[in-house]
Amino acid sequence: DLCGCQRLERLPDVSALTSLKELDLSYCQRLKRLPDVSKLESLKEYYTYSPNLQDQLPERFGARGGS
């Protein structure tokens, strides 16, 4: 849970986190780019409520960022 991390600007590669089930990047105002989660098949919940990141959400999570 990284929700509300005001200083977070970028994340490292998360592709090795194959058991990750939830990623909450809500209200990370400085985050400019979402990490690539296309290979994380166990990821079921993915949240971001930052307007500048909504269009970067993977299609399988839709516009609201959760399943």
Side-chain angles (χ1 to χ4, degrees), residues 4-58:
C5 292
Q6 297 297 319
R7 295 184 180 186
L8 184 66
E9 293 183 15
R10 61 188 166 118
L11 287 174
D13 181 15
V14 296
S15 61
L17 303 175
T18 57
S19 297
L20 186 66
K21 294 181 181 176
E22 181 178 321
L23 182 57
D24 190 349
L25 300 172
S26 302
Y27 308 107
C28 296
Q29 304 298 337
R30 291 187 179 187
L31 191 62
K32 294 176 176 60
R33 186 166 179 85
L34 294 176
D36 180 16
V37 295
S38 59
K39 295 179 182 162
L40 301 180
E41 295 180 17
S42 64
L43 187 65
K44 302 298 181 205
E45 303 288 333
Y46 191 11
Y47 299 100
T48 179
Y49 295 110
S50 300
N52 58 326
L53 299 175
Q54 288 296 317
D55 62 335
Q56 294 182 38
L57 280 171

